[in-house]
Amino acid sequence: MEKNFVILGDICYAKEFGKLECSGGSYLVCENGKVKGVFKELPGQYRSLKLYDYSGKLVCPGMSDIHLHAPQYAYRGLGMDLELLDWLDTITFPQESKYADAEYAKKAYDVFVEDLKHSATSRAVVFATIHKEATEYLMEAFDREGMAGYIGKVNMDRNSPVFYCETTEGSAKTTLEWLDDVTGRYENVHPIITPRFVPSCTDDLMKELGRIASERALPVQSHLSENLSEIDWVHELAPDSKGYADAYDRFGLFGSSGKTVMAHCIHMREDEIELMKKRGVFVAHSPQSNENLRSGIAPMRKLLDHGVKCGLASDVAGGSTINMFKAITDCIQVSKLRWRLVDDTERALTFPEAFYLATVGGGEFFGKVGSFEEGYEFDALVIDDSSARTILELDIQQRLERIMYLGHAGSIISKWVAGRKLF
Amino acid sequence: MEKNFVILGDICYAKEFGKLECSGGSYLVCENGKVKGVFKELPGQYRSLKLYDYSGKLVCPGMSDIHLHAPQYAYRGLGMDLELLDWLDTITFPQESKYADAEYAKKAYDVFVEDLKHSATSRAVVFATIHKEATEYLMEAFDREGMAGYIGKVNMDRNSPVFYCETTEGSAKTTLEWLDDVTGRYENVHPIITPRFVPSCTDDLMKELGRIASERALPVQSHLSENLSEIDWVHELAPDSKGYADAYDRFGLFGSSGKTVMAHCIHMREDEIELMKKRGVFVAHSPQSNENLRSGIAPMRKLLDHGVKCGLASDVAGGSTINMFKAITDCIQVSKLRWRLVDDTERALTFPEAFYLATVGGGEFFGKVGSFEEGYEFDALVIDDSSARTILELDIQQRLERIMYLGHAGSIISKWVAGRKLF
């Protein structure tokens, strides 16, 4: 596949936190699937490359959605009048159990992956279900459609309904079989160790997952401190741990085996924040899910000020939509409410800051991803914002801010992931 | 124009607060521009009427956006990193002043009205600017495109920049000239008295506007208790009034002349809530604006429990989008955050409740509007939700909830206002 080409357009990306680099009518060069640079005048050596002329269109990096549940996409936007633990029992577990049927899983995942392909997301960190076959199909579909991601077969061996629960041994064994099947099979789609959350996994299973993750130097994803009832429950279930974060850390599942991302992190103690920083654990912030499941608002400014790595996430179906434009503006909006209602020392996030989190911030989970600096993976979106009509003359940053607030996902007219053109 | 016809589709509407009426594959009959009823089998006397077959599509009432600023549509989704009073000075006032130029106003308002026509909104309560000519053009455009609304020439004679301020006499005189021009001119577009807010209007102007409103039995719109700094300022400016609500009421601008709507009502005292109920004053709740301008979250459950009339609003450009689907889900989401962060005795709003506010609740400002009960004005939307793919079988209420959460404004494929088909 040809991975050397040039895009001409109105280019906008983040390099540093809180500042956007904008360059109208400029050339973005891709060399061997990596960004070579942004040029106002195209240097001579690139003039023979294929040129995609998107003059007047916005060009920005693809976004990383670092926490979402693929099987929940089928019921996105439904049952939003329930709180977390009720929502899990009433909708989530019964629905996820259906993915035991491989044909059902294929049909559902085909819809999910095709919609994700046309969204702003170029890379995702994904929960599948406990089922090996369905999880492998999801990875295959990601690869086939050109999406990049870490995809996890979920582990759960307690506090789950009989129709959607594993034995400890079965869970570990299936995980190893799955890892043997998929490790190294795809260029941009990789496995990730996925204990659902502390309440769903016995200490024995956690120990085994920690061992597997460490031996194979695998990344890890899970949930942390989303809901107050959930946190109380974790304290009951893990009386010997120092807290929710430690309930993962004591089994080597908190950043010591490989890159680790924890979803939510809303109600965090100072020592837990420090541990996240020390271990390099990422926060996946899902503002829409925080609202829908009435969990609260994650203290993003505080986490960022402490130097914790942070990215944005849709958390479908806790979040209703995979639209990362909405994750960006929701992130700003809830940070304003947190400033107003919870702690007025925590400054609200700005648009350039939230845009950074959706691109560079979460992109770091995948390596050099989410910017147009030289050497970054070539993930790019072309956005046609002409349907958002106005008689004002807007600069590039204003146009980008506006199209995010308007949330027109349909305005994405072309997309590249790792140098491959998806559409 | 033919105002007798039948629509076949999957019909959903609210009658009582908190409950949806759903009827799949049913007939919605319009007689003389009014709803006749919803029928599972079409009665014989309507079988000769024109039938619009929207089988498999959702059909629901049009929505009422009871507070938005038409001139601000041009810069929706911009400058959202500013707080209310800074945002007014830096963006709003300079932009609104441009509508002194009638040609500029025409171009900008044509974009606004055409986009509004294709949105979920069938009726709107609208702030224009201080300019008579531009305001009259906006009313003409509403009428031409078939939209219904109350539109107000804004009054402001203090605390405004020199380039966007009136004299007291000039403001009153222009208002009277405007009223003489437009009163009774259109079937579904009417004038409304519009003091911008207390800080922008001297007592003398307020007195004069109260007199005009009372003499002509006119409706009134303004802003109330949006932001804490604004409320402090009102107390300084009106030391003799009992509070912000009384600063309108003492001039007869709080429900005594005609229907009155106050935007925001976030930080309300008990006696003010009681006064609103007593006077029948409507609250225009703009959840997105509450977030963007970091004002807080209006206590909707409390206002509703007190029996205050409430509707939803986009508050463009405090809210970034005119999409009322988003106003519905934002309303639910911020009510959940209020429950979690401010007062856990105030139950979050449910989807059927928020849908009621966007249709029947705000619709009441226009009379019998927002439902499919017999005798209601025939305002209807046809929604094609087929692009929101899933392999699940969903019932009508689930499909409606989902399309609102996904916010696909582009899914509206047909629309009627007062029995007239707009597209």
Side-chain angles (χ1 to χ4, degrees):
Chain A
M1 196 172 299
E2 182 57 77
K3 290 192 172 176
N4 296 290
F5 56 87
V6 179
I7 296 176
L8 170 60
D10 294 335
I11 296 169
C12 195
Y13 65 98
K15 185 163 75 171
E16 297 157 43
F17 184 63
K19 192 169 165 289
L20 294 180
E21 311 293 322
C22 297
S23 188
S26 294
Y27 299 88
L28 173 64
V29 175
C30 177
E31 200 174 53
N32 300 320
K34 302 271 193 298
V35 177
K36 189 67 195 174
V38 174
F39 305 93
K40 198 77 198 162
E41 297 278 326
L42 189 62
Q45 69 265 41
Y46 305 122
R47 292 195 185 154
S48 59
L49 295 181
K50 178 169 175 56
L51 176 76
Y52 293 96
D53 186 345
Y54 286 112
S55 297
K57 306 290 185 283
L58 294 167
V59 181
C60 76
M63 296 180 183
S64 290
D65 183 345
I66 64 170
H67 179 72
L68 81 165
H69 296 262
Q72 300 180 10
Y73 188 69
Y75 59 91
R76 63 199 182 282
L78 294 180
M80 299 277 69
D81 292 338
L82 300 169
E83 210 181 332
L84 174 64
L85 299 178
D86 292 334
W87 180 77
L88 287 175
D89 288 337
T90 317
I91 303 184
T92 301
F93 293 152
Q95 289 289 342
E96 288 195 10
S97 72
K98 293 188 188 172
Y99 289 72
D101 174 348
E103 283 310 306
Y104 182 93
K106 277 189 185 188
K107 280 187 203 149
Y109 282 152
D110 279 347
V111 172
F112 167 65
V113 177
E114 197 177 323
D115 284 0
L116 195 68
K117 173 180 167 177
H118 287 92
S119 78
T121 301
S122 48
R123 293 168 194 251
V125 187
V126 183
F127 273 57
T129 61
I130 63 174
H131 314 101
K132 179 171 99 72
E133 195 175 346
T135 305
E136 294 187 6
Y137 181 76
L138 178 60
M139 297 179 81
E140 184 187 316
F142 254 61
D143 177 72
R144 182 185 70 223
E145 300 297 334
M147 295 294 297
Y150 287 101
I151 294 178
K153 175 222 155 315
V154 175
N155 300 98
M156 42 201 292
D157 71 337
R158 68 170 171 184
N159 294 316
S160 307
V162 284
F163 57 83
Y164 192 50
C165 191
E166 303 171 292
T167 62
T168 307
E169 299 70 31
S171 184
K173 183 167 170 285
T174 313
T175 300
L176 286 168
E177 289 168 2
W178 163 65
L179 289 170
D180 288 341
D181 282 354
V182 299
T183 303
R185 188 190 284 181
Y186 305 113
E187 194 179 343
N188 295 309
V189 187
H190 306 288
I192 180 169
I193 295 295
T194 308
R196 184 170 205 117
F197 69 153
V198 172
S200 302
C201 299
T202 60
D203 287 2
D204 285 345
L205 179 56
M206 290 289 234
K207 204 176 297 173
E208 189 58 16
L209 293 175
R211 196 184 60 71
I212 296 169
S214 162
E215 272 181 18
R216 303 186 177 214
L218 290 170
V220 174
Q221 64 178 342
S222 196
H223 296 91
L224 179 63
S225 301
E226 177 173 7
N227 174 295
L228 296 170
S229 315
E230 171 212 13
I231 295 170
D232 288 344
W233 195 19
V234 168
H235 291 163
E236 276 171 40
L237 290 166
D240 303 333
S241 74
K242 282 176 277 182
Y244 203 158
D246 185 57
Y248 294 109
D249 193 45
R250 62 186 176 153
F251 298 116
L253 291 164
F254 205 68
S256 46
S257 66
K259 275 180 182 156
T260 296
V261 58
M262 290 284 156
H264 308 306
C265 306
I266 297 173
H267 311 281
M268 298 288 291
R269 295 194 320 236
E270 290 286 332
D271 62 306
E272 293 185 306
I273 295 175
E274 284 305 316
L275 186 66
M276 291 198 87
K277 188 194 168 184
K278 192 171 149 194
R279 294 273 195 272
V281 172
F282 285 70
V283 171
H285 174 46
S286 306
Q288 197 185 148
S289 173
N290 291 182
E291 295 184 300
N292 283 342
L293 297 174
R294 57 188 93 180
S295 308
I297 301 170
M300 293 309 290
R301 177 63 68 191
K302 192 168 163 184
L303 292 164
L304 288 161
D305 283 350
H306 275 74
V308 176
K309 294 178 193 296
C310 298
L312 297 186
S314 68
D315 189 30
V316 158
S320 315
T321 156
I322 51 174
N323 186 351
M324 290 296 289
F325 292 178
K326 186 158 163 51
I328 288 175
T329 57
D330 283 345
C331 161
I332 299 165
Q333 290 170 333
V334 301
S335 79
K336 288 172 173 178
L337 290 178
R338 188 172 167 92
W339 170 84
R340 171 65 73 200
L341 302 174
V342 180
D343 185 344
D344 69 5
T345 67
E346 295 181 24
R347 273 182 306 115
L349 270 73
T350 64
F351 173 68
E353 290 175 338
F355 184 83
Y356 178 96
L357 294 181
T359 53
V360 188
E364 195 189 334
F365 196 82
F366 300 90
K368 289 189 80 169
V369 165
S371 186
F372 288 154
E373 293 292 287
E374 185 172 358
Y376 272 72
E377 297 282 333
F378 196 91
D379 293 1
L381 307 175
V382 180
I383 301 169
D384 180 355
D385 64 336
S386 60
S387 69
R389 297 180 304 157
T390 181
I391 62 168
L392 302 182
E393 289 283 327
L394 303 179
D395 64 31
I396 294 175
Q397 180 167 334
Q398 287 176 316
R399 287 167 55 200
L400 192 73
E401 178 182 12
R402 195 172 62 133
I403 204 75
M404 303 283 149
Y405 272 100
L406 297 180
H408 290 204
S411 59
I412 299 168
I413 57 169
S414 195
K415 177 171 167 179
W416 280 263
V417 177
R420 175 175 164 188
K421 192 174 195 303
L422 270 54
F423 59 89
Chain B
M1 196 170 299
E2 183 58 76
K3 289 192 174 177
N4 298 291
F5 56 87
V6 179
I7 296 177
L8 170 60
D10 294 335
I11 296 169
C12 194
Y13 64 100
K15 186 163 75 170
E16 297 157 42
F17 183 63
K19 192 170 165 290
L20 294 181
E21 311 293 324
C22 297
S23 188
S26 294
Y27 299 89
L28 173 64
V29 175
C30 177
E31 200 174 53
N32 301 319
K34 302 272 194 296
V35 177
K36 189 66 196 173
V38 175
F39 305 93
K40 198 76 198 163
E41 297 278 326
L42 189 62
Q45 70 265 41
Y46 305 122
R47 293 196 184 153
S48 59
L49 295 180
K50 179 170 174 55
L51 175 76
Y52 293 96
D53 186 344
Y54 286 113
S55 296
K57 306 289 186 283
L58 294 167
V59 181
C60 76
M63 296 180 182
S64 289
D65 183 344
I66 64 170
H67 179 72
L68 81 167
H69 296 262
Q72 299 179 11
Y73 188 69
Y75 58 90
R76 64 199 181 281
L78 293 179
M80 297 279 71
D81 292 339
L82 300 169
E83 210 181 333
L84 175 64
L85 299 178
D86 292 334
W87 181 75
L88 287 175
D89 288 338
T90 317
I91 304 185
T92 301
F93 293 152
Q95 288 290 341
E96 288 194 11
S97 71
K98 293 187 188 172
Y99 290 73
D101 174 348
E103 284 309 307
Y104 182 92
K106 277 189 186 189
K107 281 187 201 148
Y109 283 152
D110 279 346
V111 172
F112 166 65
V113 178
E114 197 177 322
D115 284 0
L116 196 67
K117 175 179 165 176
H118 287 92
S119 78
T121 301
S122 46
R123 294 169 191 252
V125 187
V126 182
F127 273 56
T129 61
I130 63 174
H131 314 102
K132 178 171 98 72
E133 195 175 346
T135 305
E136 294 188 6
Y137 181 76
L138 178 59
M139 297 178 81
E140 184 188 316
F142 254 61
D143 177 71
R144 183 185 69 224
E145 300 296 336
M147 294 295 297
Y150 288 100
I151 294 178
K153 176 224 156 314
V154 175
N155 300 97
M156 42 201 293
D157 72 336
R158 69 170 171 184
N159 294 317
S160 307
V162 284
F163 57 83
Y164 192 51
C165 192
E166 305 170 292
T167 63
T168 306
E169 300 70 30
S171 184
K173 183 166 170 289
T174 312
T175 301
L176 286 167
E177 289 168 1
W178 164 66
L179 289 169
D180 289 341
D181 283 354
V182 299
T183 303
R185 188 190 283 181
Y186 305 113
E187 195 179 341
N188 294 309
V189 186
H190 307 288
I192 181 168
I193 295 296
T194 308
R196 184 170 204 116
F197 69 153
V198 171
S200 302
C201 299
T202 61
D203 287 3
D204 285 345
L205 179 55
M206 289 290 234
K207 205 177 296 173
E208 189 59 15
L209 293 175
R211 196 186 58 72
I212 295 169
S214 163
E215 273 181 18
R216 302 185 178 215
L218 289 170
V220 174
Q221 65 178 341
S222 196
H223 295 92
L224 179 63
S225 300
E226 178 173 7
N227 175 295
L228 296 170
S229 315
E230 170 211 16
I231 294 171
D232 289 345
W233 196 17
V234 169
H235 291 162
E236 277 172 39
L237 290 166
D240 304 332
S241 75
K242 284 175 276 182
Y244 202 157
D246 185 57
Y248 295 108
D249 193 45
R250 61 186 178 154
F251 298 117
L253 291 164
F254 205 68
S256 47
S257 65
K259 277 182 180 153
T260 296
V261 57
M262 290 284 156
H264 307 306
C265 306
I266 297 173
H267 311 280
M268 298 287 290
R269 295 193 320 234
E270 289 285 333
D271 62 305
E272 294 185 306
I273 295 175
E274 284 305 317
L275 186 66
M276 291 198 88
K277 187 194 169 184
K278 193 171 149 193
R279 294 273 196 272
V281 173
F282 285 70
V283 170
H285 174 46
S286 305
Q288 196 183 151
S289 174
N290 289 182
E291 295 184 300
N292 283 341
L293 298 174
R294 58 189 96 180
S295 306
I297 301 170
M300 293 308 291
R301 176 64 66 190
K302 192 169 165 184
L303 292 163
L304 287 161
D305 284 349
H306 276 74
V308 176
K309 294 179 194 295
C310 298
L312 297 186
S314 69
D315 189 32
V316 158
S320 315
T321 156
I322 51 173
N323 185 353
M324 289 296 287
F325 292 178
K326 186 158 162 52
I328 288 174
T329 57
D330 283 345
C331 162
I332 299 165
Q333 289 169 333
V334 301
S335 79
K336 289 174 173 177
L337 290 178
R338 187 171 167 93
W339 169 84
R340 170 65 72 201
L341 301 174
V342 180
D343 186 343
D344 67 7
T345 67
E346 294 181 24
R347 273 181 307 117
L349 270 72
T350 64
F351 173 67
E353 290 175 339
F355 184 83
Y356 178 97
L357 295 180
T359 53
V360 187
E364 194 189 335
F365 196 82
F366 300 90
K368 289 188 80 167
V369 165
S371 187
F372 288 155
E373 293 292 286
E374 185 172 356
Y376 272 72
E377 297 282 333
F378 196 92
D379 294 1
L381 307 175
V382 180
I383 302 169
D384 180 355
D385 63 336
S386 59
S387 69
R389 297 181 303 158
T390 181
I391 61 167
L392 302 182
E393 288 284 327
L394 303 180
D395 65 29
I396 295 176
Q397 179 166 336
Q398 287 176 317
R399 287 167 55 199
L400 192 73
E401 177 182 12
R402 194 172 64 134
I403 204 75
M404 303 283 149
Y405 272 99
L406 297 180
H408 290 202
S411 58
I412 299 168
I413 56 169
S414 194
K415 178 171 167 180
W416 280 262
V417 177
R420 175 175 164 189
K421 192 173 194 304
L422 271 54
F423 60 88

